[in-house]
Amino acid sequence: PPAPPRAVPRPNVQLTAPVTGQAFSGSIQLRGTADWPNFAFYKFTLNGPATNNVALTVGDVVREPRRDAVLGDINGASLLAQPGTYVISLIVVDNTGNESPACSVPVIIQP
């Protein structure tokens, strides 16, 4: 099935890489902007076959805002046993615990 469209709700919370439908069989470098009023941290979630199609937080939270930079990476090699379409989401949290709308991008994990 076709991947859902890229969701980028705000310029202060965006993923510029990877792009929708990009295929990986190794590390996935995430680039973009994670900067929000009263910034506390940002995190990534992953949703796909290896997570039983439930969005789970992956990696560590990052406690410094970034603009047009490398935000982090996900080890795609660990997902090779369960290839398919995964949705990576960037979420920024402010110092009161409120989450920004997620910026999400579907990618394909393939052997």
Side-chain angles (χ1 to χ4, degrees):
R6 182 182 189 96
V8 182
R10 294 180 169 65
N12 289 345
V13 180
Q14 64 175 311
L15 290 169
T16 55
V19 297
T20 297
Q22 191 169 351
F24 294 90
S25 57
S27 183
I28 303 167
Q29 185 180 73
L30 305 162
R31 295 187 59 85
T33 297
D35 192 2
W36 191 256
N38 302 313
F39 177 92
F41 64 89
Y42 66 86
K43 64 182 179 178
F44 296 103
T45 63
L46 184 68
N47 182 340
T51 68
N52 292 319
N53 296 310
V54 174
L56 299 178
T57 299
V58 292
D60 296 326
V61 300
V62 178
R63 299 194 181 279
E64 64 182 54
R66 295 191 179 149
R67 290 185 112 5
D68 299 318
V70 173
L71 301 176
D73 62 272
I74 295 174
N75 180 1
S78 66
L79 306 172
L80 291 176
Q82 296 183 9
T85 300
Y86 286 80
V87 176
I88 299 169
S89 297
L90 166 65
I91 301 167
V92 178
V93 180
D94 71 17
N95 58 14
T96 64
N98 291 317
E99 294 185 349
S100 69
C103 175
S104 302
V105 61
V107 298
I108 298 165
I109 301 298
Q110 62 186 22

